[in-house]
Amino acid sequence: HQKSLSGTNYSHNVISLLPGRQVHAIECGCCGMAGAFGFEKKHYDLSMEIGELALFPAIRKAEADAIIAASGTSCRQQILDGTGRKALHPAQVLYRNLRFDTAP
């Protein structure tokens, strides 16, 4: 979602400022959800196939304590459905770390 609007540099740069955090951008295209596209029954399988191209495998390879961030609501839902991992909005990552609350 964010990639299509403005790019991920803003989120990447801000989260990189947090002490003790390393940011790794996943090189992938669309998560497969594309707004409401993946919610439609006729598009569900294709939506999941798109997620499997790069995004889902990268998230599955991430450490269990890695924080997954995605700005789009549908992207976060797709990540949860495709990997079982809960993704946070970048603002949530900032908020939790500025409060010194690192619980995922």
Side-chain angles (χ1 to χ4, degrees):
H1 176 264
Q2 185 178 14
K3 287 179 183 180
S4 68
L5 294 177
S6 63
T8 59
N9 288 340
Y10 299 115
S11 293
H12 186 279
N13 292 342
V14 170
I15 294 173
S16 293
L17 296 173
L18 295 170
R21 297 290 180 195
Q22 294 180 355
V23 180
H24 303 283
I26 297 174
E27 295 299 324
C28 66
C30 179
C31 70
M33 185 61 81
F37 177 85
F39 283 119
E40 296 175 13
K41 186 175 182 176
K42 65 183 179 182
H43 298 134
Y44 178 80
D45 290 337
L46 177 59
S47 167
M48 296 308 266
E49 287 176 27
I50 293 168
E52 288 294 349
L53 293 174
L55 181 64
F56 297 166
I59 290 175
R60 288 188 197 107
K61 288 179 188 175
E63 298 290 331
D65 62 347
I67 297 170
I68 310 298
S71 62
T73 301
S74 57
C75 300
R76 292 191 302 275
Q77 184 64 51
Q78 180 78 332
I79 289 168
L80 180 63
D81 291 347
T83 69
R85 299 281 301 265
K86 181 178 180 181
L88 301 174
H89 188 280
Q92 290 175 293
V93 175
L94 292 173
Y95 177 74
R96 289 179 177 197
N97 282 270
L98 293 173
R99 288 183 43 232
F100 301 102
D101 175 8
T102 58

